[in-house]
Amino acid sequence: MTDRLFSDRRDAGRVLAGLLGHYRGLPGVVVLGLSRGGVPVAYEVATALGHPLDVLLVRKLRTPGREELAMGAIAGGGVIVLDEDVVRGLGLQSDTIRQVAEREARELARRERAYRGGPPVELSGKTVIMVDDGLATGASMRAAVRAVRQRKPARIVVAVPAAPESTCQELSALVDEAVCATTPTPFFSVGESYWNFTQTADEEVRRLLRTAASARAGAPPARTDLAILRSELVPAQDGVPPDEVLFDIVGDARFVLIGEASHGTHEFYAARARMTRRLIEEKGFVAVAVEADWPDAYRVNRYVRGRGDDATAEEALRGFQRFPAWMWRNADVLEFAGWLREHNERLGERARAGFYGLDLYSLHRSAGEVVAYLEKVDPGAAERARGRYSCFDHSDGDDGQAYGFAAAFGAGESCERRVIDQLVDLQRNALRYQRAQGLLGEDDFFHAERNAAVVAAAERYYRTMFGGRVSSWNLRDRHMADTLFALAEHLGWQCGEPARIVVWAHNSHLGDARATEMGARGELNLGRLVREHTPEDCRLIGFTTYTGTVTAADDWGRPAERKNVRPALPDSVEELFHEVGHKEFLVDFAHSADAADVLRRALLERAIGVVYRPGTERQSHYFQTRLPDQFDAVIHIDETGALEPLERTARWERGEVPETYPVAV
């Protein structure tokens, strides 16, 4: 099953509550959640229906040596239900079953003590609604039903979000009413019905039971989600936290990845630049690696390090010509590049901080850079490289799509073998080429080698993009990760110590994909790859906004416009942050455990790239996320403004026509 029916257990509980609405307000009703996963579902049911909540402890009896296979279940009161087919089929002996049952009974007793501060809720003569997060074989629920029946309820109702049709029918014969919200066919597992099916922790069970009991007793209610967030946020003026907060988050990490919720928001660029300046000045960071093509960014690198032919930062940014040029040719990047040049002029050559690109779109330009380098150090090799790259000559344009389309569908020559041969040939002669150039040979060779790697990756990317979105996305982000790690190794060798690098890219690249809907689709990203490569040595920081304006296009390749950002959708991270009521703030999940718990449930998150389509915003720009697992910290700026391109067109100056035009005055 590919469609996840429920965001998480709390979402499933709200659905079940709607199906059980006929029990709302009735006297003598108790809701029981099967531990542990059933408790968050039952909490929503009990809260919506206005009835007391308690936990019913049930444990699967796992088959020794085949732990994934349950031979039965055990519930409170010594109730055991066995799966006779499993017992007979595996020839399980009574001693084996008894040993497993005794071990699980001890665990039941431990949880009984851990979860409750008093005796269980009285069930005699009551209507008992038994809730779990889903059923497969139903063994656990059958054990639970037998345990509850011993306490002489008047009526037993079983309610679950998902179960096989056959299991629901079997339970219907055992209880007074069985409510299965969904019966997926084919049924693979309970978790397949959820987007977020992480394990329920003991502390969550205790917290939900306490909250429900307090509400029933008329005690002061537990702190709301908004109250928790308000108590744990950190002010961030103009989106920048105080130095002590920023430095505490970063610690000794070598890689600090700072995102953006859109490619066209001034506040994201400005705040990111200010934080990066502080990390360069005070924490020894030596590079900024950005979501941009390698040769374009390297022109800026030459300028900021005092090596290029460009006299001004604006000239250095002229390399960014491919759409969307305004993503890097804008006022905020111009100011940062100017500052970085001035900063570097006060330092020695080895201590200067650089500016580098991680992306792979520059197929033709990177090929040209490789040939240009070889013409200086090895004219014969340059001629061979020119011959190898000539297979791209029949594709028009600089973005490689024409080549990729032809190669993918057999209408043109594939350059795969040739570009790999060229990269290997360059690497084989690395030492000779570097020696021939003297002091600057290391950097010049590294630039050429990276361009050769870009050509190889771009060739694969453009062939793959016509075969499936996930595979091309994954190839692109793997290339960015490879480039980042190669850059870190190169700079570290030059500096004589591990290099510290700040990365600028979109949230969708820098947040850990495993915590998002992207990961459920099979996509990985740079943030995940960096975390896997250096789990203790990186920090991921995201940005969000509720509304404002943004620089974006209607479609790829179209002119940049200043568009209105619609207020965020309900059930989104952005709407929740907006309701906090602060203009701008930071949430640090490592030091704000309660805030992390609030935000760990599945919520929508908005992502605006270089294209913004408000008319299809939910489909085009939102995905599900568990924010504390996606980022280490998030900065929210409630209202933001459009990034200012260096080439401000009349269309951008005019901005977006209001939706009420020409009615509004």
Side-chain angles (χ1 to χ4, degrees):
M1 188 174 75
T2 57
D3 293 331
R4 307 286 170 151
L5 301 175
F6 309 106
S7 296
D8 54 16
R9 291 179 176 87
R10 302 284 291 272
D11 178 43
R14 290 188 285 270
V15 173
L16 268 187
L19 299 176
L20 294 165
H22 49 290
Y23 290 100
R24 184 178 289 106
L26 294 182
V29 178
V30 175
V31 179
L32 297 182
L34 272 64
S35 66
R36 291 178 292 189
V39 175
V41 186
Y43 173 83
E44 296 295 331
V45 173
T47 301
L49 301 184
H51 297 306
L53 171 69
D54 200 3
V55 61
L56 184 65
L57 291 108
V58 182
R59 293 283 293 174
K60 290 181 180 178
L61 300 178
R62 302 186 183 277
T63 305
R66 302 183 62 177
E67 302 299 324
E68 78 286 352
L69 180 63
M71 60 182 175
I74 182 171
V79 172
I80 298 178
V81 172
L82 297 178
D83 187 322
E84 296 298 338
D85 291 337
V86 173
V87 172
R88 286 196 300 269
L90 296 179
L92 298 174
Q93 301 298 312
S94 57
D95 285 348
T96 299
I97 297 172
R98 186 180 66 254
Q99 290 173 4
V100 174
E102 288 175 350
R103 183 178 67 244
E104 296 302 334
R106 289 193 294 272
E107 177 61 16
L108 280 181
R110 182 197 70 80
R111 293 192 180 185
E112 187 84 33
R113 294 189 299 271
Y115 294 160
R116 286 201 190 90
V121 173
E122 177 60 49
L123 302 184
S124 178
K126 303 287 182 66
T127 295
V128 179
I129 302 176
M130 303 173 62
V131 179
D132 203 357
D133 54 11
L135 303 175
T137 65
S140 296
M141 184 61 78
R142 288 197 299 274
V145 168
R146 287 182 57 182
V148 167
R149 203 175 294 284
Q150 291 179 354
R151 296 162 68 179
K152 304 190 181 306
R155 181 177 174 84
I156 296 179
V157 179
V158 168
V160 294
E165 179 66 33
S166 59
T167 301
C168 286
Q169 291 176 353
E170 291 173 6
L171 283 171
S172 296
L174 297 177
V175 298
D176 298 285
E177 182 181 0
V179 176
C180 296
T182 64
T183 54
T185 303
F187 187 92
F188 296 114
S189 70
V190 172
E192 288 295 318
S193 291
Y194 291 84
W195 182 79
N196 174 11
F197 198 62
T198 53
Q199 189 176 46
T200 302
D202 285 347
E203 180 53 38
E204 183 178 4
V205 173
R206 289 192 290 267
R207 180 173 62 83
L208 292 174
L209 291 174
R210 288 196 305 267
T211 302
S214 297
R216 296 287 302 171
R223 288 194 303 166
T224 65
D225 291 350
L226 291 177
I228 291 172
L229 292 175
R230 287 171 185 142
S231 69
E232 299 200 359
L233 63 82
V234 176
Q237 185 174 358
D238 297 324
V240 180
D243 279 357
E244 62 270 19
V245 174
L246 175 63
F247 297 159
D248 188 45
I249 292 172
V250 170
D252 295 326
R254 292 175 53 211
F255 301 103
V256 176
L257 285 60
I258 310 179
E260 60 194 12
S262 83
H263 283 317
T265 298
H266 155 67
E267 285 80 2
F268 298 156
Y269 278 68
R272 186 167 57 184
R274 284 183 57 194
M275 286 189 284
T276 302
R277 288 172 58 168
R278 299 303 294 146
L279 293 176
I280 291 173
E281 291 171 329
E282 301 295 333
K283 292 298 177 181
F285 280 73
V286 296
V288 183
V290 304
E291 186 185 339
D293 290 331
W294 180 270
D296 300 344
Y298 204 80
R299 179 172 173 178
V300 179
N301 179 62
R302 286 193 175 106
Y303 169 75
V304 300
R305 295 176 69 94
R307 295 181 181 175
D309 298 326
D310 295 311
T312 67
E314 189 279 326
E315 289 181 18
L317 292 172
R318 291 179 188 176
F320 295 104
Q321 297 178 359
R322 183 185 61 81
F323 177 88
W326 46 264
M327 185 173 157
W328 299 110
R329 275 190 59 78
N330 60 67
D332 292 301
V333 176
L334 180 69
E335 180 181 352
F336 179 78
W339 171 85
L340 190 53
R341 170 65 178 259
E342 293 177 1
H343 170 80
N344 282 338
E345 286 176 344
R346 299 189 294 269
L347 304 173
E349 174 65 30
R350 293 294 189 185
R352 293 179 177 180
F355 190 92
Y356 304 89
L358 300 176
D359 228 327
L360 50 55
Y361 291 117
S362 57
L363 176 67
H364 293 281
R365 280 169 295 152
S366 287
E369 291 286 324
V370 174
V371 173
Y373 170 78
L374 289 172
E375 284 178 338
K376 292 187 296 184
V377 298
D378 190 343
E383 192 60 32
R384 289 194 299 273
R386 191 178 288 108
R388 285 167 175 152
Y389 290 152
S390 66
C391 61
F392 296 118
D393 291 348
H394 301 295
S395 57
D396 297 327
D398 187 43
D399 63 3
Q401 291 194 41
Y403 161 75
F405 184 86
F409 293 100
E413 180 183 10
S414 171
C415 302
E416 180 180 11
R417 185 68 258 166
R418 295 187 181 193
V419 299
I420 293 174
D421 286 345
Q422 181 54 50
L423 176 59
V424 171
D425 194 13
L426 191 66
Q427 292 171 335
R428 186 182 295 121
N429 290 282
L431 187 59
R432 180 165 65 91
Y433 291 161
Q434 291 178 60
R435 284 176 175 172
Q437 281 193 291
L439 183 62
L440 297 180
E442 300 162 6
D443 276 345
D444 286 350
F445 175 80
F446 182 67
H447 173 56
E449 181 190 39
R450 282 297 94 202
N451 275 302
V454 167
V455 176
E459 188 277 333
R460 291 196 305 274
Y461 175 82
Y462 286 118
R463 267 190 298 111
T464 305
M465 71 184 296
F466 294 99
R469 181 178 178 275
V470 169
S471 56
S472 59
W473 171 279
N474 289 354
L475 193 154
R476 182 183 172 209
D477 274 58
R478 284 190 186 279
H479 171 77
M480 288 198 282
D482 290 344
T483 302
L484 177 62
F485 298 141
L487 177 63
E489 183 178 1
H490 172 70
L491 296 177
W493 185 85
Q494 287 189 332
C495 298
E497 60 183 10
R500 307 187 76 182
I501 301 175
V502 179
V503 179
W504 294 358
H506 197 280
N507 284 350
S508 57
H509 289 293
L510 299 192
D512 192 328
R514 291 172 294 185
T516 74
E517 193 174 341
M518 296 165 57
R521 294 196 302 260
E523 294 181 6
L524 50 78
N525 66 355
L526 178 60
R528 169 184 171 175
L529 293 169
V530 172
R531 268 189 175 171
E532 289 178 338
H533 188 267
T534 57
E536 303 300 325
D537 216 9
C538 67
R539 301 292 183 270
L540 314 183
I541 302 173
F543 274 99
T544 62
T545 187
Y546 177 74
T547 191
T549 59
V550 66
T551 297
D554 286 334
D555 210 340
W556 188 266
R558 297 291 298 277
E561 299 182 31
R562 185 154 42 92
K563 292 172 166 283
N564 297 322
V565 177
R566 292 186 174 184
L569 293 178
D571 296 322
S572 67
V573 169
E574 294 84 0
E575 185 203 43
L576 180 59
F577 283 165
H578 172 68
E579 291 179 349
V580 169
H582 289 255
K583 179 182 176 183
E584 52 213 4
F585 57 86
L586 173 143
V587 181
D588 173 10
F589 299 122
H591 299 92
S592 304
D594 289 344
D597 286 343
V598 167
L599 293 166
R600 191 159 275 118
R601 72 178 190 269
L603 291 168
L604 295 173
E605 180 183 331
R606 179 159 53 191
I608 300 174
V610 295
V611 173
Y612 182 40
R613 300 188 178 105
T616 58
E617 190 168 51
R618 173 61 182 89
Q619 295 81 9
S620 303
H621 299 289
Y622 280 91
F623 59 92
Q624 297 271 10
T625 185
R626 300 186 306 276
L627 204 66
D629 300 322
Q630 184 187 8
F631 295 106
D632 296 299
V634 168
I635 297 169
H636 179 74
I637 306 174
D638 205 56
E639 185 169 356
T640 51
L643 191 69
E644 181 182 338
L646 294 186
E647 288 74 34
R648 293 169 52 165
T649 64
R651 196 167 185 169
W652 187 91
E653 292 279 9
R654 184 173 63 250
E656 188 175 21
V657 176
E659 292 182 4
T660 53
Y661 178 85
V663 177
V665 294

